[in-house]
Amino acid sequence: MEDKRKSKAAPIAGANDRVCEHLSFAAKEAFKRLRTNVMLKFPEGDPECRIIGVTSAQPSEGKSTISLNLSYSLAELGKNVLLIDSDMRRPSIHIKARVEKEPGLADLLGSSNAIASSVRKYQSSKNETCFDIIPGGNIPPNPSELLTSKRMETLLKTLRSAYDYIILDLPPVGAVIDAISISKQTDGMIVVLRENNCPVGIFRDCVAQIQEANVPILGFVINGALEGAGKKYGYGSKYGYSSYGSYYGSYYK
Ligand SMILES: Nc1ncnc2c1ncn2[C@@H]1O[C@H](COP(=O)(O)OP(=O)(O)O)[C@@H](O)[C@H]1O
Ligand SMILES: [Mg+2]
């Protein structure tokens, strides 16, 4: 499978390039801290492939942004990483990473296509960092059924043998049951919370649902949070990732 994983297409013009190697220094540092925290959750020298789900209570909290940047950050260390856009209702990894959207996960789950046909490569601009991406694909009428299908389980089992980390960019927990169902096949979940965005009750509900499913919560990412004396890092002065280090894992039970 290794040699068949080739880039499928040229970058898509006009896509969001404020990710991965294009992030600010402070944002990159925040993702390095997130990476370290994630790696510490598993035994040192862990030979197992770890499947990590990224979810949130609501849409637009930053799941896809964080999934993509975490994948990049792990790949920077030489880890063999696969990012799967598992939010088939609102796939966005293909836009952020500038890869072709189709065929992708939906096509893999809905047909007998070879896995390699849906795998793209994220290659950094200086060709220093590289990881694999399975984009969302053709949006299906039944994303819940596909994501929670036996086929998805089998796909993840197969992919485990080829990677160190598989990052699943999941739908939000609040909207549909997909994220909770698939979370049982992960080694743990990261829950993203965008600052000043999510009502406390909805967030608590999200956490409770994951806990009820008995899936480990690896930690929380506060996206866009303040750091230090009210200073914000990240894209210009508006956003920040810099509180990952301090918040990440602090709610871990
Ligand atoms: N920290 C951040 N700084 C700047 N823009 C952000 C940040 N986090 C998310 N965004 C932007 O907010 C929008 C929603 O983020 P996204 O990652 O797609 O959310 P989700 O996957 O949870 O729906 C996107 O346009 C993304 O580029
Ligand atoms: Mg998303």
Side-chain angles (χ1 to χ4, degrees), residues 134-156:
I134 296 184
N138 292 289
I139 298 176
N142 56 342
S144 288
E145 284 79 3
L146 282 184
L147 202 62
T148 56
S149 64
K150 186 80 191 156
R151 210 171 180 127
M152 180 70 182
E153 203 179 321
T154 310
L155 177 68
L156 287 178

Side-chain angles (χ1 to χ4, degrees), residues 64 87 90 92 169:
S64 302
D87 190 351
R90 290 183 61 190
S92 72
D169 176 21

Side-chain angles (χ1 to χ4, degrees), residues 16 56 58-66 87 90 92 96 169 194 223-224 235 239-241:
N16 177 6
S56 64
Q58 303 189 119
S60 301
E61 306 246 20
K63 296 175 294 299
S64 302
T65 308
I66 276 130
D87 190 351
R90 290 183 61 190
S92 72
K96 293 172 171 57
D169 176 21
R194 193 155 189 170
N223 187 19
Y235 303 167
Y239 302 102
Y241 297 98

Side-chain angles (χ1 to χ4, degrees), residues 19 52 61 86 103 109 113 126 144 154-155 186 212 217 226:
V19 292
I52 298 168
E61 306 246 20
S86 315
L109 297 176
N113 287 1
K126 289 182 188 160
S144 288
T154 310
L155 177 68
T186 70
E212 273 165 29
I217 295 178
L226 291 167

Side-chain angles (χ1 to χ4, degrees), residues 6 8 27 33 39 43 59-60 69-70 77-78 81 94 96 111 124 130 155 162 169 199 208 210 221 228 231 238 242:
K6 295 264 171 13
K8 282 277 150 195
R33 291 209 294 276
M39 290 172 75
S60 301
N69 289 315
L70 174 61
L77 280 189
V81 181
H94 60 286
K96 293 172 171 57
S111 72
S124 69
C130 180
L155 177 68
D169 176 21
I210 299 171
V221 170
K231 189 174 177 191
K238 205 171 169 196
S242 22

Side-chain angles (χ1 to χ4, degrees), residues 51-125:
I51 301 182
I52 298 168
V54 179
T55 193
S56 64
Q58 303 189 119
S60 301
E61 306 246 20
K63 296 175 294 299
S64 302
T65 308
I66 276 130
S67 303
L68 180 61
N69 289 315
L70 174 61
S71 301
Y72 180 85
S73 195
L74 286 163
E76 265 188 315
L77 280 189
K79 302 288 179 196
N80 199 6
V81 181
L82 170 67
L83 168 62
I84 306 181
D85 193 337
S86 315
D87 190 351
M88 285 185 278
R89 284 188 180 80
R90 290 183 61 190
S92 72
I93 293 294
H94 60 286
I95 301 169
K96 293 172 171 57
R98 302 178 174 211
V99 296
E100 286 294 330
K101 180 182 162 213
E102 296 158 5
L105 180 62
D107 306 275
L108 274 185
L109 297 176
S111 72
S112 53
N113 287 1
I115 294 176
S117 66
S118 290
V119 179
R120 317 275 184 279
K121 277 211 183 300
Y122 183 93
Q123 189 87 48
S124 69
S125 42

